[in-house]
Amino acid sequence: MRKVLVLTEAKAGNLRSVSLEALTAAHRIAEGGEIIAVALGSDANQFANVLGKHGAKKIYIIGNKVLDVYTTDAYSQALRQVIDVVQPDAILMPHTAIGKDLAPRIAARYGLGLVSDVIDVQVDNGDVIFTRPIYSGKAFEKKKVVSGIPFATVRPNNIPVEEISGTIEILHFHVEIKDLRTIVKEVVHKTTGDVDLSEAKVVISGGRGVKSADGFKPLQELADILDGAVGASRGACDAEYCDYSLQIGQTGKVVTPDLYIACGISGAIQHLAGMSNAKIVVAINKDPEAPIFQVADYGIVGDLFEVIPLLTEEFKKVLAHV
Ligand code: FAD
């Protein structure tokens, strides 16, 4: 039985679903032990119930206003004070921009190893075994922590969320945050779609074949119908058809949606590094020899400007009856 600490994360007032995936992973590691969730920020209170429904037994709410916006300094000070009190046997965090920044700092402070970007967790004969992709997703390795406690970041959209209800204890935890080297005065958000790209269940991606910023409009329309997000290849970003925040691939975001539709993307290895673990890949390309077809489950050889509106119409009809 282990005591597992999970850092949860919210974005724009909504709990990120990877927080619940991390709780499911924690449940496996805990083996009947205690799962402790930490929620930060002045509106963290609102997430206590949903965290409780997904396995958290104790929920540490740290309501300091300074934690409403992420800074490495403030978050690491807050989390370290929780860790010192809880003394967990394992720690999990989401593999998000925050987790990627914070986890190494926490690991270094406590002299722990860190297994980053895990897509699966199992316990084998009492050993915690993490699975993570290597070589840009072309292979997977299994890792066991042999010294110190298991500490990992969990990649979004890989561990199916389980509902595990029980009694919950909510603790309003007071932390002292001082000597901050960075204070965020204002956060200006780029206007992107409503659905978070790295957690989206459906991603419609455009490449250089989309040909212009306007060419992304039919992709956005299809994404809206399917409650998905729009992504892009670096080719499309370099051509200034869209913002770099949409870039998927080795030097962009890694996505693992249920459905990935690549439109006018050739399928360069650097692009595949960001999407090849999608559950179903559909490629639309007018070149039948495009490498993207080698990783696609379904390929459509054709002009994306003809194919996408047809798909959108068909989805509209089907979804009207659901
Ligand atoms: P192209 O390769 O030009 O392909 C366009 C495709 O559109 C073609 O296959 C064409 O047949 C098709 N097409 C054209 N018109 C239509 C139409 N009307 N209908 C249907 N199909 C059409 N790339 C990434 O994506 N992500 C990364 O993170 C990334 N990181 C990189 C890191 C490094 C170090 C390097 C060197 C490169 C990186 N790249 C990355 C770039 C990558 O190598 C490719 O250059 C890029 O992915 C190509 O983008 P693309 O497929 O949109 O463009």
Side-chain angles (χ1 to χ4, degrees), residues 172-189:
H172 291 271
F173 190 68
H174 175 75
V175 294
E176 196 185 343
I177 295 173
K178 57 183 183 189
D179 303 331
L180 291 181
R181 283 170 293 183
T182 321
I183 306 241
V184 178
K185 296 276 191 199
E186 190 189 4
V187 179
V188 180
H189 290 285

Side-chain angles (χ1 to χ4, degrees), residues 19-274:
S19 305
L20 306 182
E21 292 157 28
L23 283 176
T24 302
H27 181 66
R28 294 183 196 167
I29 296 173
E31 293 190 291
E34 192 173 44
I35 299 172
I36 299 154
V38 186
L40 309 177
S42 50
D43 58 359
N45 220 359
Q46 60 174 317
F47 306 125
N49 274 340
V50 66
L51 295 173
K53 283 189 186 139
H54 291 85
K57 292 264 186 311
K58 269 189 193 157
I59 298 149
Y60 279 68
I61 305 285
I62 310 180
N64 301 42
K65 188 128 187 56
V66 70
L67 299 169
D68 286 354
V69 178
Y70 176 76
T71 60
T72 321
D73 252 4
Y75 266 53
S76 62
Q77 284 188 37
L79 195 59
R80 277 164 46 209
Q81 288 171 61
V82 180
I83 292 172
D84 290 345
V85 168
V86 169
Q87 298 282 321
D89 302 312
I91 306 174
L92 296 178
M93 289 185 194
H95 191 73
T96 54
I98 290 179
K100 283 185 235 180
D101 185 64
L102 185 62
R105 171 174 289 231
I106 298 287
R109 285 282 176 171
Y110 289 93
L112 297 172
L114 173 67
V115 187
S116 69
D117 203 13
V118 307
I119 58 163
D120 193 24
V121 186
Q122 299 297 338
V123 177
D124 183 18
N125 260 336
D127 291 329
V128 180
I129 310 288
F130 295 111
T131 306
R132 63 187 296 276
I134 50 171
Y135 303 122
S136 298
K138 284 195 278 306
F140 298 90
E141 65 176 2
K142 290 188 184 294
K143 286 210 156 182
K144 179 172 90 174
V145 176
V146 291
S147 99
I149 61 169
F151 184 8
T153 58
V154 176
R155 182 188 281 197
N157 268 349
N158 280 275
I159 298 177
V161 171
E162 286 170 26
E163 288 203 12
I164 310 151
S165 288
T167 51
I168 58 169
E169 187 183 347
I170 300 172
L171 296 115
H172 291 271
F173 190 68
H174 175 75
V175 294
E176 196 185 343
I177 295 173
K178 57 183 183 189
D179 303 331
L180 291 181
R181 283 170 293 183
T182 321
I183 306 241
V184 178
K185 296 276 191 199
E186 190 189 4
V187 179
V188 180
H189 290 285
K190 282 183 176 155
T191 40
T192 49
D194 293 338
V195 183
D196 187 310
L197 183 54
S198 45
E199 293 194 17
K201 298 283 181 212
V202 176
V203 174
I204 317 293
S205 259
R208 228 186 311 253
V210 166
K211 292 194 176 68
S212 68
D214 275 352
F216 267 92
K217 284 183 183 158
L219 278 67
Q220 184 65 58
E221 203 182 327
L222 179 56
D224 290 344
I225 299 272
L226 297 176
D227 206 12
V230 168
S233 71
R234 179 155 143 190
C237 301
D238 285 345
E240 298 183 1
Y241 302 161
C242 63
D243 192 86
Y244 278 102
S245 60
L246 301 191
Q247 185 186 319
I248 289 166
Q250 186 181 315
T251 45
K253 292 196 166 87
V254 174
V255 295
T256 324
D258 293 340
L259 174 63
Y260 187 88
I261 307 185
C263 314
I265 294 178
S266 59
I269 190 122
Q270 296 90 351
H271 186 76
L272 303 185

